Amino acid sequence: MAANEQHYTLDLPSFDQPVKILIVVAPYYKDIADELVAGAKATVEAVGGTWDLVEVPGALEVPTAISIADKLSNFDGYVALGCVIRGETTHYDTVCNDSSRALQLMGLQGLCIGNGILTVENRDQAVVRAEAKGQNKGGGAAAAALHLIALSRKWAAPSKGVGFHTDAIKLAGQPDESKKA
């Protein structure tokens, strides 16, 4: 049974500068969403980060809300939360695939997103995965976003500053006038 299997998880990263996370949740199954959010909040707070929380109607709206926030706000990363339980129609496949694909495409464009939208066969599977004291998939999604933020900060180009630099002259093959007496 998957609930009993142990998985390796990375230690949470540490940050020199504060981290600001937007948690976007679709509370269609409110009790499950509340557990996911609790886990995400605790994980962000564990690294000294801050979070804002917004609710959207469903899993398909989560990526759109993140995209809007990325254009209009200043978050370092995003946590996508919700739950999709298989029903009697193929709508399940559409919601699961399209929400996941949209989040992945934004991630490939450089957004730091942890995907905690559960895609399960039944409510029991969702509860096991959502519980903050259980599998804590909300906390795992927050940890994923935090790790991506840490990588983006690590690999960010150092600021070149503004104005004229003598290094630019050297690169252009011109003599460095500052060393002439």
Side-chain angles (χ1 to χ4, degrees), residues 109-161:
Q109 293 172 3
L111 274 67
C112 300
I113 303 172
N115 184 355
I117 298 176
L118 304 179
T119 55
V120 296
E121 297 295 321
N122 56 57
R123 175 174 267 286
D124 290 341
Q125 289 177 349
V127 170
V128 166
R129 286 158 179 77
E131 288 178 332
K133 293 181 180 173
Q135 287 190 13
N136 193 16
K137 297 299 183 180
L146 293 167
H147 281 286
L148 293 171
I149 293 165
L151 283 177
S152 69
R153 288 183 179 183
K154 175 182 177 178
W155 292 331
S159 174
K160 295 181 180 171

Side-chain angles (χ1 to χ4, degrees), residues 59 62-64 66 78-81 97-109 111 113-117:
V62 171
T64 303
I66 290 173
Y78 306 91
V79 180
L81 300 176
N97 293 333
D98 290 354
S99 63
S100 179
R101 183 175 298 113
L103 293 171
Q104 184 66 31
L105 288 172
M106 287 188 289
L108 291 173
Q109 293 172 3
L111 274 67
I113 303 172
N115 184 355
I117 298 176

